[in-house]
Amino acid sequence: MPAAVHLIDHPLVQHKLTLLRRKDTSTAEFRRLLGELSMLMAYDVTRHLPLREVDIETPVAPMRGRLIEGRKLVFVPVLRAGLGLLDGMLAVLPNARVGHIGLYRDETTLKPVQYYLRLPEHMPERDAIVVDPMLATGNSAVAALDLVKAAQPRSLRFVCLVSCPEGLANLQAQHPEVPVYTAAIDQRLNERSYIVPGLGDAGDRYFGTQS
Ligand code: URA
């Protein structure tokens, strides 16, 4: 039984995603919106995190509060577009660790090839969240999850902003136990493996490298 696909359909997320998708949204605006969206998505994606009890004093009385073990969390952006989701997530979880995965597509085999991998130590004690804004064919998400899974994190999740049926099917076939969080399941892939309607190339739009 495949793990759940969590559709984050909060009105704030849907509103900002619509503004982000527009083709005339500037690079500066795209960055700002993607930062806000990742903060909002972090809210849902971290719902499972364990809390530890701590004794504190308010100005009125002592009490027992609860804190997240932020240092046990690791965000793993898939380079380069995944970096666009990182700052917002770190803004709300500043103690989280960060790993990086670099993948490029081999133009002959069309398969993702790893060119960079750096994960923090002690992965079996950590909850890992792999982030990439677009789940298109799903091939790089599958490869990224293969790499993180090999490090045996305590838990593993995948977050994307926009997905499509093809990418979700691929991911669920290869990593059926990994929960997926997404703000949209779009119609399909086109012949160039772009999501339709999607938002274009997320990396180019975030870094301002589109022509
Ligand atoms: N990557 C993107 O940035 N956009 C798509 O539509 C598909 C893959």
Side-chain angles (χ1 to χ4, degrees), residues 134 136 193-195 200-203:
M134 309 299 281
S193 295
Y194 276 86
I195 296 175
D201 187 303

Side-chain angles (χ1 to χ4, degrees), residues 81 133-137 189 192-204:
M134 309 299 281
L135 179 65
T137 62
L189 289 181
R192 294 176 55 217
S193 295
Y194 276 86
I195 296 175
V196 180
L199 51 75
D201 187 303
D204 276 344

